[in-house]
């Protein structure tokens, strides 16, 4: 059974600071990785996808992947109160069963 | 607008009364999936479909049925709902037939079974 582990939090970060969210996965065959943001009671929204080792930047968001360490992270620069949400990490090994999700990290940006 | 729609958004029902939650996508996606989300348990996959007439069980299929007669629709059927099926349900779709590419989620259906 594949597993994706995340610290449930809450992770509290001051407004304007960098928020760092981490995720580890169990399957060395995992190929694709995704970060979703979910506001309470709403559906998950895709923020970033990353497929190769290294960093991928999109606006204030940077995803980092280290396949040797089986580790994925998401950095949010210049954190805003609107970034307060639960962040879900997901992975896929390319199989037909789609994505495996972590349970999410609850992020709170303090004004 | 490209989207996944679900209906109803909220439903309160009684034990044993059959119900169907509809899901439709307008993106011509091959892959569709149903998840339930419960506090402390995260998102768990119920069923998925790689194409028309091709469906398979996910991690928690007991008590649920699905069908995929058309590419755009993937209804979730609870033949005899029980209180332990009270949950927040999401339908998702993906361009990739194996679902290993980005998945796009519907708005969710909050189901309460009394």
């Amino acid at each position: 059974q594949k597993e994706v582990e995340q610290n449930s939090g809450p992770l509290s970060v001051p407004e304007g600071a960098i928020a760092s969210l981490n995720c580890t996965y169990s399957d060395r065959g995992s190929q694709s990785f995704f970060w979703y943001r979910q506001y309470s009671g709403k559906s998950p929204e895709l923020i970033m996808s990353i497929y190769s080792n290294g960093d991928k930047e999109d606006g204030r968001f940077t995803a980092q992947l280290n396949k040797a360490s089986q580790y994925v992270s998401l950095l949010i620069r210049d954190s805003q109160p609107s970034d307060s949400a639960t962040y879900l990490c997901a992975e896929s090994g390319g199989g037909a069963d789609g994505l495996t999700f972590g349970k999410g990290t609850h992020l709170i940006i303090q004004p | 607008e490209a989207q996944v729609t679900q209906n109803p958004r909220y439903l309160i029902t009684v034990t044993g009364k059959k119900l169907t939650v509809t899901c439709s996508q307008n993106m011509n996606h091959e892959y569709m999936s149903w998840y339930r989300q419960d506090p402390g348990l995260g998102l768990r996959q119920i069923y998925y479909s790689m194409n028309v007439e091709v469906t398979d069980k996910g991690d928690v299929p007991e008590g649920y049925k699905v069908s995929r007669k058309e590419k755009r629709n993937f209804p979730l059927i609870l033949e005899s709902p029980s209180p332990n099926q009270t949950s927040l349900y999401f339908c998702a779709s993906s361009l990739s037939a194996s679902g290993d590419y980005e998945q796009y989620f519907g708005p969710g259906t909050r189901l309460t079974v009394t």
Side-chain angles (χ1 to χ4, degrees), chain A:
Chain A
Q1 182 86 358
K2 293 189 290 185
E3 290 185 347
V4 176
E5 299 286 344
Q6 296 181 255
N7 189 318
S8 62
L11 173 64
S12 186
V13 173
E15 183 176 356
I18 296 175
S20 178
L21 304 163
N22 304 315
C23 167
T24 59
Y25 58 94
S26 63
D27 185 3
R28 286 199 170 273
S30 296
Q31 300 173 8
S32 310
F33 303 88
F34 307 91
W35 283 100
Y36 286 81
R37 177 177 62 199
Q38 186 178 25
Y39 295 112
S40 181
K42 303 296 186 182
S43 59
E45 173 192 11
L46 182 68
I47 299 176
M48 294 281 288
S49 57
I50 187 166
Y51 305 100
S52 56
N53 279 330
D55 295 0
K56 179 181 178 182
E57 186 174 320
D58 184 0
R60 296 187 296 113
F61 299 96
T62 299
Q64 300 174 316
L65 174 60
N66 183 327
K67 289 187 177 181
S69 300
Q70 296 176 243
Y71 180 90
V72 191
S73 65
L74 178 70
L75 301 178
I76 306 174
R77 289 181 299 281
D78 188 24
S79 296
Q80 302 297 310
S82 59
D83 295 326
S84 298
T86 295
Y87 289 80
L88 305 174
C89 175
E91 66 82 35
S92 171
D97 55 353
L99 304 184
T100 299
F101 286 85
K103 294 180 181 178
T105 297
H106 182 42
L107 175 66
I108 299 171
I109 305 301
Q110 295 181 321

